[in-house]
């Protein structure tokens, strides 16, 4: 009996050893040690873990969460996903079996969490009963239901001239201090959605409490989830914050909900990936951004949108920072190509007290023809033509060099411009629904008699 037990024990040990030799590292992870640290990049040897895998570095009583971001021969490169104060050489590195998993559930509603999913508010621990991939799952594009229904965002100029559809992905593009966050806050309060998921990624920590209290409010927070990873977080944690917000939105979409995803900002997500890429010696390509940045952007954005017929949708608004007000900035240009439309905010309009500072000439919604009537499209085009005519002749008009009667189109533009300008402006506390926005547009352009009853 004793011999049999010993044979069983030795057979078990041999099986485990054989499995490790065959590379079954997810079941039997191989520990290693920390050998080097340069900047935020940690170098470990003797440790076997896959790309994207999670490792815990144990040093001086701390347990620091890290992720594998690269490897070279027998070395792996780690990046911390949490704050730490000190590390020592030869610290123990322990790979984890389950990596890239986010805890989700209805218990997230009304809560504020960090990039790792840990609560930041004083409402106790999270009660979550489901798990999902932090990186999402690739959808078959043929299974996506087309965008056919408009979404009311409460902003008159957007509802009437840049109509947004359920499941559309829009970029809010502008330089710093032009009003992106304020416009995002208005949409948070006024958009008709079942669930709102807000990702505050890489922004000022001061704005978090203001956004939760002033923009969401107590009632708005009840049907919202806020993911916060401010500018002083490690770059990997900022990236995880953006991916976690998207994973939460995907969870509620799978339940058939209409989800509004607001992310401020997509640029900070790209900058976090740039920090990681440059730290592991990835060569910079365009204005210091390595190629991995332009691969990560569509991977994040494509997770939003519609699902199968009868399912839910994620309508996403991403703020994009145009550094130096340059609309040809690499991230602005890349975002414009992968999103379903963009709203450009003008510093000139903001400086003149015109809010929201939407540059209607440079903005576009690519799904508007599919979700609006022919009459609304005709009215929107006429509005833009009149507005553009005035802007093209603005210098002549303001210096008095234009003579009335020289061009009927310019005369019409001069007559209409004050009411067009008033139509584009809206107070922060005012909400204008889609029906009212369209009716005001028709009345202003004298098209009411053609409108369907």
């Amino acid at each position: 009996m004793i011999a049999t037990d010993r044979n069983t024990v030795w057979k078990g040990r041999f099986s485990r050893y054989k499995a490790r030799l065959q590379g079954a590292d997810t079941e039997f992870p191989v520990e290693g040690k920390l050998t080097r640290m340069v900047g935020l990049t940690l170098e470990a040897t003797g440790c076997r873990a896959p790309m994207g895998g999670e490792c815990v570095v144990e040093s001086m009583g701390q347990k620091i969460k890290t992720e594998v971001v690269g490897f070279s021969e027998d070395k792996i490169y780690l990046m911390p996903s949490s704050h730490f104060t000190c590390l020592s050489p030869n610290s123990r590195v322990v790979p984890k079996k389950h990596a890239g998993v986010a805890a989700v559930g209805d218990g997230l509603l009304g809560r504020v969490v960090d990039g790792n999913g840990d609560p930041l508010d004083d409402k106790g621990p999270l009660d979550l009963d489901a798990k999902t991939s932090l990186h999402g799952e690739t959808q078959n594009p043929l299974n996506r239901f087309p965008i056919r229904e408009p979404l009311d965002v409460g902003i008159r100029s957007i509802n009437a001239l840049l109509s947004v559809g359920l499941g559309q992905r829009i970029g809010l593009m502008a330089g710093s201090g032009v009003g992106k966050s304020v416009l995002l806050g208005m949409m948070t309060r006024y958009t008709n959605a079942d669930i709102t998921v807000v990702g505050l990624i890489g922004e000022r920590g001061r704005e978090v409490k203001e956004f939760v209290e002033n923009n969401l409010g107590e009632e708005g927070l009840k049907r919202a989830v806020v993911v916060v990873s401010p500018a002083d977080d490690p770059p990997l944690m900022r990236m995880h914050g953006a991916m976690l917000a998207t994973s939460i939105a995907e969870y509620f979409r799978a339940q058939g909900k209409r989800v509004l995803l607001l992310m401020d900002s997509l640029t900070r997500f790209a900058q976090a990936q740039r920090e990681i890429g440059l730290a592991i010696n990835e060569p910079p390509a365009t204005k210091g951004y390595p190629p991995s940045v332009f691969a990560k952007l569509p991977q994040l954005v494509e997770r939003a949108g519609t699902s199968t017929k009868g399912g839910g949708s994620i309508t996403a608004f991403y703020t994009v920072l145009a550094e130096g007000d340059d609309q040809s900035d690499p991230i602005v240009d890349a975002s414009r190509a992968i999103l379903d439309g963009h709203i450009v905010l003008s510093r000139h309009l903001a400086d003149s007290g015109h809010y929201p500072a939407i540059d209607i000439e440079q903005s576009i919604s690519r799904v508007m023809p599919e979700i609006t009537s022919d009459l609304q499209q005709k009215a929107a085009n006429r509005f833009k033509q009149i507005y553009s005519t005035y802007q093209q002749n603005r210098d002549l008009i303001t210096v008095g060099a234009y003579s009335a009667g020289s061009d009927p189109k310019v005369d019409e533009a001069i007559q209409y411009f004050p009411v067009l300008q008033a139509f584009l402006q809206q107070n922060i506390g005012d909400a204008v629904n889609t029906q009212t926005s369209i009716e005001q547009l028709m009345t202003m352009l004298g098209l009411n008699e053609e409108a369907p009853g």
Side-chain angles (χ1 to χ4, degrees), residues 326-337:
D326 182 10
Q327 290 300 317
S328 63
D329 177 85
I331 302 303
V332 174
D333 199 45
S335 302
R336 190 163 41 228

Side-chain angles (χ1 to χ4, degrees), residues 21-36:
L21 290 179
Q22 292 174 345
D25 298 320
T26 54
E27 186 174 357
F28 302 101
V30 180
E31 298 178 5
K33 64 179 181 179
L34 197 64
T35 58
R36 188 182 180 198

Side-chain angles (χ1 to χ4, degrees), residues 334-405:
S335 302
R336 190 163 41 228
I338 61 179
L339 294 171
D340 303 321
H342 53 272
I343 298 172
V344 177
L345 304 184
S346 165
R347 185 173 299 279
H348 172 73
L349 291 175
D351 290 344
S352 63
H354 183 293
Y355 291 102
I358 297 175
D359 188 335
I360 208 67
E361 293 180 285
Q362 295 191 60
S363 305
I364 188 172
S365 171
R366 292 194 175 107
V367 305
M368 186 173 176
E370 282 77 37
I371 61 174
T372 57
S373 64
D374 292 339
L375 182 60
Q376 183 183 345
Q377 294 173 42
K378 177 182 176 182
N381 289 334
R382 178 162 167 73
F383 182 104
K384 292 178 181 179
Q385 288 167 2
I386 297 173
Y387 188 85
S388 182
T389 299
Y390 184 90
Q391 295 295 347
Q392 291 170 10
N393 296 275
R394 187 184 189 98
D395 291 341
L396 292 176
I397 296 169
T398 53
V399 301
Y402 175 76
S403 299

Side-chain angles (χ1 to χ4, degrees), residues 8 30 33 38 43 82 94 98 100 122 149-150 165 180 233 265 283 287 347 351 365 377 405 407 438:
T8 303
V30 180
K33 64 179 181 179
V38 179
E43 187 179 290
S82 58
V94 184
H98 304 291
D122 298 323
E149 186 179 346
K180 299 186 300 299
D233 276 353
S265 71
K287 290 191 176 179
R347 185 173 299 279
D351 290 344
S365 171
Q377 294 173 42
D407 188 334
I438 296 173

Side-chain angles (χ1 to χ4, degrees), residues 185-204:
M186 293 175 70
M187 292 178 182
T188 305
R189 292 195 299 272
Y190 305 143
T191 299
N192 183 20
D194 300 324
I195 303 292
T196 301
V197 180
V198 181
L200 301 178
I201 311 300
E203 297 299 319
R204 293 176 288 271

Side-chain angles (χ1 to χ4, degrees), residues 207-270:
E207 295 180 337
V208 175
K209 191 174 182 65
E210 294 178 4
F211 190 94
V212 172
E213 293 183 353
N214 301 336
N215 294 333
L216 281 175
E218 187 176 347
E219 287 300 316
L221 186 59
K222 290 180 180 179
R223 60 180 183 89
V225 183
V226 182
V227 181
V228 177
S229 186
D232 59 340
D233 276 353
L236 191 62
M237 193 170 182
R238 279 176 265 150
M239 291 192 65
H240 282 181
M243 293 188 288
L244 176 61
T246 309
S247 295
I248 294 170
E250 288 174 324
Y251 167 77
F252 287 110
R253 177 180 62 185
Q255 297 181 345
K257 305 288 187 182
R258 296 185 304 172
V259 183
L260 176 66
L261 173 62
L262 306 171
M263 192 168 295
D264 188 11
S265 71
L266 193 62
T267 302
R268 304 303 185 195
F269 172 82

